Amino acid sequence: MQTTAVILEGPRKLDLGALELDKPTADDLVIAVSHSGISTGTEKLFWSGDMPPFPGMGYPLVPGYEAAGEVVEAGANTGFSVGERVFVPGANCYGEVKGLFGGASHHLVTPAARVVRIDVAMGAEGALLALAATARHAMAGLDKTLPDLIVGHGVFGRLLARLTIAAGGKPPTVWEISEDRATGAEGYTVLHPDSDDRKDYDCIYDATGDGSLLNPLIGRIAKGGEIVLAGFYPEPLSFAFPPAFMKEARFRIAAEWTRADLVATRDLIDHGALNLHGLITHNLPAHQARTAYQTAFEDPACLKMILNWENAA
């Protein structure tokens, strides 16, 4: 079986192409993708060529770890039925072409254990589940503190803020330097950092992936405060030790979601505790993939770009 997929041949060399899919087993699902998201974090680093060495990386590859679609074939051992709506966190089913992410494809093959059922009413927003689950993973569990300051009001920062409120926390302050991204707050305050004099935050979540912010953020925490590195940082991180020493600063790295986070986040959405509305700002057909990726990575007004595969060849 062949599919049309986005293929990243190398830095800034991206287009659609035809690929042969691996033959599905009794444990696999074949999924017709309707929508896939473009990540402005890790995917951008692959697109630009700035991704540091990472297990499984290399070119050519099919990008995308945010895909929503419909089951069109279900193996005997999967427990799924044809027609069910699902979220897929990527796939590795393209033969010699790497599928480190692998979700930006009209069809894909994946083990059923990686897939989560979602409500058909989610539409294109179903592709946001992994990003929402990553935000949930950063703040859920024992000994984890909810943020009172979030740095960055992109999609990830907005999800962190919404989840903080959904968890019963006090509405956080969010910093944003771009006027294009300063709007759209739902029950919390967005400030330019120059307008905020506070220096006693107990817990700051950085959603930007900008390591140069570490020293300024250390100056904004209370004694014993925590800084959570919730972005992806391509460069080595460093900070001045004396200010961190005086504050007895704590640092925590938040990794990507687990399957439990996907399920829990899906349930929050289903029960109305979390909404994904207003996060998708751009939506282009899959045949415009080259334009879509460039816009997603270079236009500050683009919060989230979705590729629409519904009429793809």
Side-chain angles (χ1 to χ4, degrees):
M1 179 180 179
Q2 279 199 333
T3 188
T4 301
V6 175
I7 304 174
L8 189 58
E9 297 283 356
R12 298 178 185 269
K13 296 179 180 178
L14 179 147
D15 215 335
L16 290 185
L19 294 175
E20 190 75 21
L21 289 173
D22 295 343
K23 185 177 180 180
T25 71
D27 298 316
D28 290 334
L29 301 173
V30 180
I31 294 163
V33 174
S34 61
H35 301 90
S36 63
I38 298 176
S39 164
T40 55
T42 48
E43 279 189 78
K44 181 179 180 179
L45 295 172
F46 276 108
W47 180 79
S48 65
D50 295 325
M51 188 70 172
F54 200 85
M57 71 173 289
Y59 304 101
L61 66 85
V62 177
Y65 58 86
E66 305 168 307
E70 181 179 310
V71 176
V72 293
E73 292 183 29
N77 300 335
T78 64
F80 281 78
S81 300
V82 171
E84 288 190 286
R85 180 80 174 167
V86 294
F87 171 81
V88 193
N92 189 8
C93 57
Y94 308 102
E96 296 300 315
V97 175
K98 296 180 183 296
L100 178 60
F101 296 151
S105 176
H106 192 206
H107 289 84
L108 54 81
V109 177
T110 185
R114 287 176 50 79
V115 169
V116 175
R117 291 178 178 88
I118 58 174
D119 191 328
V120 67
M122 291 183 70
E125 290 178 351
L128 301 178
L129 188 60
L131 193 58
T134 299
R136 191 260 179 189
H137 182 82
M139 61 178 61
L142 296 174
D143 301 323
K144 292 186 178 179
T145 305
L146 295 176
D148 47 4
L149 173 64
I150 296 165
V151 183
H153 199 227
V155 172
F156 190 52
R158 292 168 198 240
L159 285 166
L160 287 168
R162 293 182 186 188
L163 282 164
T164 299
I165 294 170
K170 181 180 177 181
T173 297
V174 179
W175 281 358
E176 179 54 62
I177 62 173
S178 170
E179 291 184 4
D180 291 316
R181 299 192 170 201
T183 60
E186 296 191 357
Y188 54 90
T189 302
V190 179
L191 298 175
H192 191 287
D194 293 344
S195 301
D196 186 1
D197 296 328
R198 186 174 169 184
K199 297 181 180 180
D200 62 348
Y201 285 107
D202 291 317
C203 188
I204 301 175
Y205 279 51
D206 175 56
T208 69
D210 183 355
S212 70
L213 296 177
L214 270 182
N215 282 324
L217 293 182
I218 289 168
R220 296 296 193 128
I221 59 172
K223 191 176 183 66
E226 180 181 54
I227 296 173
V228 179
L229 303 174
F232 191 89
Y233 303 82
E235 301 295 334
L237 297 175
S238 63
F239 58 89
F241 183 75
F245 173 81
M246 296 297 293
K247 289 288 186 77
E248 293 190 63
R250 295 177 293 123
F251 300 91
R252 178 165 62 84
I253 296 171
E256 66 178 5
W257 47 267
T258 65
R259 179 176 174 79
D261 294 307
L262 286 176
V263 173
T265 304
R266 187 269 317 274
D267 292 345
L268 286 172
I269 295 166
D270 287 349
H271 289 91
L274 173 67
N275 80 76
L276 305 180
H277 307 328
L279 300 178
I280 297 172
T281 56
H282 292 64
N283 191 318
L284 286 176
H287 70 264
Q288 295 184 34
R290 189 183 302 173
T291 298
Y293 276 79
Q294 186 165 352
T295 300
F297 299 150
E298 296 182 349
D299 183 353
C302 181
L303 286 179
K304 192 64 178 181
M305 172 69 78
I306 293 290
L307 282 183
N308 190 325
W309 294 89
E310 289 180 313
N311 296 314

